[in-house]
Amino acid sequence: MSLAEATAVIGPASKHSHLERYDPVAARGALVALAEWCRQFSPTVGLEEAERPESLLLDVTGLGPLFGGEAALAQRVRQAFCRRGLAARLAVADTIGAAWAVTHYGANDECGTMNDEWGEKKNAAQKAGRMPAPHSSFIIHHSSLSSLPLAALRLSDEHVQLLAELGLKRIGQLEPFSRAALATRFGPELLRRWDQLTGTAEEVIAAAQPPPTLVAAWSCEQPIAHAEVIEAILGQLLDQLIRPLVAERRGVLQLACRLHGAGGAIAPFTLGLFRPSAAPRYLLDLVRLKLQRLSLAEPVTEIEVEVTATALVEFRQQELFEARSPRDDPRHLAALVDRLSSRLGREQVLRARLSDDAQPERAWRYEPVLDAAPGRRGTAAQGPPRTKRAPARGQATARRRFKWAQRPLRLAARPVPVVMTAVMPDGPPLQFALAGRPHRVTRYWGPERIETGWWRGRPIHRDYYRVETSEGARHWLFRRLTDGAWFWHGEFD
Amino acid sequence: MKQNTLPDSRSCLVAELKDRLERLVQARRGAPQVVSTGCEDLDKLIPGRGLSRGTLVEWLAPGPGSGAGSLALAVAREACRDGGPVVVVDRAGCFYPPAAAQARVDLDRLIVVRPANAADETWALDQSLRSPGVAAVLCWAERLAARTWRRLQLAAESAGNLGLFIRPATARGESSWANVRFLVEPQPTGHQRRLRVELLRLRGTSGGQTLDLELDDETGVVRLAPRLADPAVVRRAARAS
């Protein structure tokens, strides 16, 4: 649903509306997690085969007796979803097609609630909450399905529209035609879907499996000391590891490499990525950067590479008229962050966040950029709307949250003690010496008193002064209130 | 008469040739994208009305607390308008992000890289300048070898990035591959912070122009300092009336 449609439906001034960008990767991820959770009900849980799957398929063949009947099982699933705060539509049927049709197009329009509805063969359109008789036979009747719209056959939109133009709207209307006639006119897809609905054609649930562990190892006959050889082996191992991932459209998010020598593990290292990548060459480049930083104490006898985290690689369609600049393309930035983090370490490539703390040293904190990586949360990477919105929001937070007086652009990691001349013991600064050079203060602004509470462990009591020297340079100095000592803390560069 | 026209025609010729040369260079590179310095009057000093992307810019400062960093940060903020983050390469670990936030730099668009040594610093600068996803790279660099400069300049040119370097004034004598070199001298006056910016070097021109700028420390806004009348003129005017 487009944003315009959504606002039209809920009304423009709705206070309770909350709009969020649709994120196919995150949606799929959530559904896979839900499938994993549903394995408590059935050993085979899968996602429907669709571009944007939104249904979970549970194989409940023969499970009825374990739960006291299929109806009781369905009821239990329904309650479990309710407890998780999820509204679900349920149907137990003999074929995937029938269950899908009833959950999607089963007639509970008249009640229109978000409640679960479960279609069950005899009266496919049972209302929410009403349980079927525990011993009702679970046989799909054509009569109950034939009244459903043709879209319930999981046909493409073009098919449904074409059929509608010919006056065919309900499944039942297809019955008078011969199969051959339908196949020649509408292609094999219609018949296949119809057969899947009735059970003539087989359809299996592809179970959503938890991702397997991906490890590749190489043992050498002779210990290796040459970096080039190690790199070549790592390249081959990466190739091996990535091949199965590519088929699943997944990419590597985190790698762990372990090099073993005769005396045991010599150089384990992990490699985190900003965005998932399935390009062996790119990964090898990053691994190489890491390797260059390592000094191998002894020749390597065994190399092991493990993929510890993967994520779906998002393919974004290119726009014909690229409106935004290449600088907004998150891929370029991701590549840079990956490279920098891999050579310098993830702790050295940082994003700053302001925090609400009076103490200048704690007024912000750094977080590794990799931690905030879009791929890591499983959400879509910075798309154009997000980056467009970002400045306004960022500036607003900066203005709203940063309520302190002016701060220097460069702050010493720890305050530097200075010898200060002041007229009065508690008076303003007059002259100070920094790195052996005397500076005469011509103007000052302050004091700005900053104190923190005793509960912080090491409380501070400082009077900060912004001073201008006779040369026009501006510094940030403070007097420690406990003993009157002066410190230089930063420069307004 | 003849003596007068000769230098005139010669200077005309030089100007015309320079113009043609400039056009040829531009045709080869494509129209350069220009980033404002954040101050209109400072932009006017530079042909093309701003700093062109794909070049390096140097700000020389006589000492700490001179305000050169704020001027460079103002350029970085302007560069961000075309998208992409600013990468701050901060080896000393002195960069203070709250001050950048006060200067209206979006912290969501700021990446701070903290290399441990000079070799890593150069490498990080090179990588950042080479990345097409970056708006500008800001660095307090003490000392850079001529070869490193050339490498960084090529990196910036390849991706069309802007490299902003704040350096001590002692680097004035060193050769540099920077396209523009400013000297920032703080002026001890008034309540507002006043900086004298001298255009030491600008590829294609002689440079040497100076401009008095006022820097609002709280908002990071840079503007031309109001020119005060010469005290002698004021006195004379007062006497006349």
Side-chain angles (χ1 to χ4, degrees), chain A residues 173-238:
Chain A
Q173 286 173 297
L174 294 177
E175 277 162 12
F177 299 98
S178 75
R179 290 176 64 87
L182 284 176
T184 46
R185 279 174 178 77
F186 306 110
E189 180 69 8
L190 177 63
L191 281 183
R192 187 171 73 91
R193 288 303 192 187
W194 197 12
D195 288 345
Q196 283 176 348
L197 180 82
T198 56
T200 318
E202 206 180 342
E203 189 179 3
V204 290
I205 298 173
Q209 293 285 345
T213 48
L214 292 157
V215 189
W218 182 292
S219 307
C220 324
E221 283 176 17
Q222 301 285 331
I224 320 167
H226 286 290
E228 293 88 16
V229 183
I230 296 175
E231 273 171 29
I233 293 171
L234 280 169
Q236 285 193 21
L237 292 179
L238 283 172

Side-chain angles (χ1 to χ4, degrees), chain A residues 289 293 325-329 332-333 336-337 339-340 343-344 348-354 359-361 363-364 366 369 387-388 390-395 398-399 402 404-413 434 437 442-443 445 466 468-475 488 491-493, chain B residues 33 53 61-70 73 82-85 87 90 92-102 104 106-115 117 119-120 123-124 127-128 131-135 140 159-161 166 186-193 217-218:
Chain A
L289 286 172
R293 313 287 291 170
S325 90
R327 283 172 224 290
D328 272 332
D329 192 337
H332 295 312
L333 182 63
L336 174 67
V337 170
R339 289 181 71 80
L340 290 175
R343 171 156 165 176
L344 306 175
Q348 313 303 331
V349 185
L350 307 155
R351 232 180 243 288
R353 292 272 169 270
L354 296 182
Q359 191 175 347
E361 293 97 325
W364 94 107
Y366 277 135
V369 180
T387 40
K388 266 181 211 159
R393 193 186 54 210
Q395 280 171 20
R399 242 176 270 137
F402 208 77
W404 317 114
Q406 207 186 321
R407 291 289 180 260
L409 189 55
R410 283 166 76 74
L411 190 84
L434 186 65
R437 254 191 80 196
T442 50
R443 288 178 71 92
W445 294 263
R466 200 147 55 88
E468 186 177 283
T469 66
S470 53
E471 287 141 8
R474 292 199 178 184
H475 299 270
W488 178 86
E491 44 162 323
F492 293 87
D493 196 21
Chain B
Q33 285 179 304
R53 284 194 179 276
S66 59
S70 300
L73 199 66
D82 295 351
V87 176
D90 178 32
C94 287
F95 181 69
Y96 192 54
Q102 274 185 329
R104 295 181 296 131
D106 182 2
L107 291 190
D108 286 344
R109 292 202 168 196
L110 190 79
I111 293 177
V112 181
V113 181
R114 312 220 294 186
N117 51 44
D120 277 354
W123 180 81
Q127 291 294 323
S128 311
S131 166
V134 170
W140 279 264
N161 272 339
I166 298 128
Q187 304 291 311
T189 49
H191 178 74
Q192 277 294 357
R193 198 165 184 194
D217 261 335
E218 253 162 63

Side-chain angles (χ1 to χ4, degrees), chain B residues 56 58 122 142-154 167 173-178 181 203:
Chain B
L56 307 181
E58 266 183 294
T122 312
E142 286 281 321
R143 174 170 286 280
L144 282 172
R147 225 177 55 202
T148 313
W149 269 116
R150 176 64 176 147
R151 185 173 136 197
L152 295 181
Q153 192 252 331
L154 287 175
R167 310 192 62 209
E174 290 176 22
S175 66
S176 139
W177 282 91
R181 181 182 259 187
R203 187 157 295 171

Side-chain angles (χ1 to χ4, degrees), chain B residues 15-99:
Chain B
E16 197 199 317
L17 283 175
K18 211 156 86 179
D19 204 39
R20 268 167 68 182
L21 200 64
E22 189 65 29
R23 259 181 285 147
L24 281 175
V25 169
Q26 274 195 13
R28 192 168 60 85
R29 283 195 195 145
Q33 285 179 304
V34 168
V35 176
S36 162
T37 57
C39 171
E40 206 180 316
D41 297 280
L42 194 56
D43 287 345
K44 281 182 193 163
L45 286 189
I46 310 161
R49 296 259 169 147
L51 304 163
S52 29
R53 284 194 179 276
T55 62
L56 307 181
V57 183
E58 266 183 294
W59 307 83
L60 303 189
S66 59
S70 300
L71 293 180
L73 199 66
V75 179
R77 192 180 61 213
E78 293 296 322
C80 265
R81 287 172 193 269
D82 295 351
V86 175
V87 176
V88 177
V89 179
D90 178 32
R91 177 146 73 95
C94 287
F95 181 69
Y96 192 54

